[in-house]
Amino acid sequence: MRLPHTLSSLGLASALLLGSAHADELTVGGKNYTEQLLLSNITSQYLDTLGYEVETLDGMGSSVLRQAQENGQIDLYWEYTGTSLIVYNDISESLSAEATYQRVKELDAEKDIIWLEPSDANNTYALAMREAYAERLGIESLKDLAETINDDAGLTFGLDSEFYSRQDGWRPLQQAYDFRVGRDDIVRMDTGLIYSALRDGNVDVGLVFSTDGRIPAFDFRVLEDNRGFFPAYALTPVVREATLEANPALEGQLNALSERFDDQTIAALNARVDVERDTIEEVATDFLETHELL
């Protein structure tokens, strides 16, 4: 099989200057963490098999990737509904999963960005604890966690800097569940380090992504969000309107791929990379072969 060409980060800036693709030539974007690297690779291999000329520009930050698509330098990538709602469109009201999707679909259409059919994968933020420790303290939900904190349990939290300051982040979460944690009980670290810190007992509660494969691998308990604080982050292909017009079959092809993803599938793919240390390329190929898409 002819593998799609993947550009290194060193060639990213110059590649972006090339602009958008013509019909049958597609530039697939991706963010800079395991799940997104998998998705961009799966999508590129899939579209290559369908006969498109594909270039892959992944390893990008969210805002840079979004701007590249708005500028016509990226044709398509996988985005999360909550990210578009809050980060790109500055909407802070609490919406259901369906309402979130409909709102971002409408708002982004004004920018010539089309949201296709959402998958059943919802990679939302969550708080997790070690299963045995959560069981011992009787904590199953964020409500239980708040009650335990307010009883002066002295739990320590592992958070990343972005979540600490986001509109859907740490301070609003405390307000929603009516608890307070002192600064000395918060350890800020890179997202990837939180999982090992939580596993090793260096923190008691950690910020996780709900589809991360290390959750089952490290025996974490994800705490139920009783009050629906975290918005939906439905994983969805987003495509430039001009790209769809130039490639009319693309919508159905990407929707067929989207319907293959759910929380369990994404978590298993992530685990193969982050826990079993398989390569992005081989996990992507195995997925496509399993689903008879190659």
Side-chain angles (χ1 to χ4, degrees):
M1 182 190 72
R2 186 181 81 255
L3 290 178
H5 175 57
T6 302
L7 296 176
S8 69
S9 58
L10 292 176
L12 179 60
S14 60
L16 288 178
L17 296 176
L18 297 175
S20 61
H22 300 293
D24 300 322
E25 297 178 355
L26 300 174
T27 303
V28 177
K31 303 184 187 185
N32 55 0
Y33 49 90
T34 298
E35 181 166 304
Q36 282 277 316
L37 295 171
L38 278 165
L39 288 164
S40 61
N41 200 282
I42 287 170
T43 305
S44 293
Q45 288 196 43
Y46 171 61
L47 294 176
D48 180 81
T49 298
L50 293 174
Y52 295 95
E53 292 292 332
V54 181
E55 292 218 89
T56 307
L57 299 179
D58 55 19
M60 304 168 70
S62 292
S63 297
V64 173
L65 179 56
R66 167 68 177 219
Q67 192 61 52
Q69 186 174 50
E70 290 189 13
N71 292 341
Q73 298 154 336
I74 294 290
D75 289 301
L76 63 102
Y77 74 101
W78 293 81
E79 187 55 273
Y80 306 93
T81 52
T83 300
S84 180
L85 185 77
I86 296 165
V87 178
Y88 306 145
N89 288 294
D90 200 28
I91 304 295
S92 59
E93 67 179 293
S94 179
L95 299 172
S96 68
E98 177 61 25
T100 298
Y101 171 74
Q102 293 298 336
R103 180 71 67 87
V104 298
K105 185 175 182 178
E106 176 184 343
L107 291 171
D108 284 347
E110 298 173 4
K111 304 166 188 174
D112 300 322
I113 294 174
I114 307 302
W115 285 72
L116 301 184
E117 289 300 313
S119 72
D120 288 331
N122 176 30
N123 190 9
T124 188
Y125 281 119
L127 294 183
M129 300 178 67
R130 295 180 300 282
E131 176 66 34
Y133 191 46
E135 182 68 22
R136 178 155 65 87
L137 295 180
I139 299 176
E140 296 183 354
S141 66
L142 294 181
K143 181 175 180 291
D144 296 336
L145 177 66
E147 292 173 352
T148 302
I149 292 168
N150 291 338
D151 286 339
D152 297 321
L155 301 178
T156 56
F157 288 74
L159 308 174
D160 69 21
S161 296
E162 181 180 353
F163 181 76
Y164 191 79
S165 59
R166 279 178 66 122
Q167 294 180 35
D168 58 339
W170 180 241
R171 291 181 181 84
L173 176 65
Q174 291 184 97
Q175 294 172 359
Y177 281 93
D178 192 25
F179 69 91
R180 292 291 180 272
V181 175
R183 289 189 177 183
D184 292 342
D185 292 324
I186 298 173
V187 182
R188 283 191 268 181
M189 62 185 76
D190 290 341
T191 303
L193 297 178
I194 293 173
Y195 294 85
S196 56
L198 182 59
R199 177 196 61 194
D200 297 340
N202 296 321
V203 296
D204 300 311
V205 184
L207 177 72
V208 298
F209 293 105
S210 60
T211 57
D212 197 291
R214 288 167 289 188
I215 292 173
F218 294 167
D219 198 24
F220 291 161
R221 174 182 290 185
V222 174
L223 305 183
E224 179 188 355
D225 181 12
N226 315 71
R227 298 176 182 172
F229 171 78
F230 292 114
Y233 287 86
L235 179 65
T236 309
V238 291
V239 190
R240 294 178 58 240
E241 184 176 22
T243 301
L244 289 176
E245 290 175 351
N247 302 277
L250 186 61
E251 179 173 355
Q253 292 161 344
L254 288 175
N255 284 339
L257 187 58
S258 184
E259 69 183 18
R260 262 76 170 188
F261 295 128
D262 57 26
D263 288 350
Q264 292 74 27
T265 299
I266 293 292
L269 293 172
N270 288 334
R272 283 194 57 186
V273 176
D274 291 329
V275 180
E276 300 172 29
R277 299 303 178 187
D278 293 335
T279 67
I280 295 285
E281 291 76 13
E282 65 185 342
V283 174
T285 300
D286 287 350
F287 170 82
L288 291 167
E289 289 178 344
T290 298
H291 291 273
E292 300 182 343
L293 294 172
L294 279 184

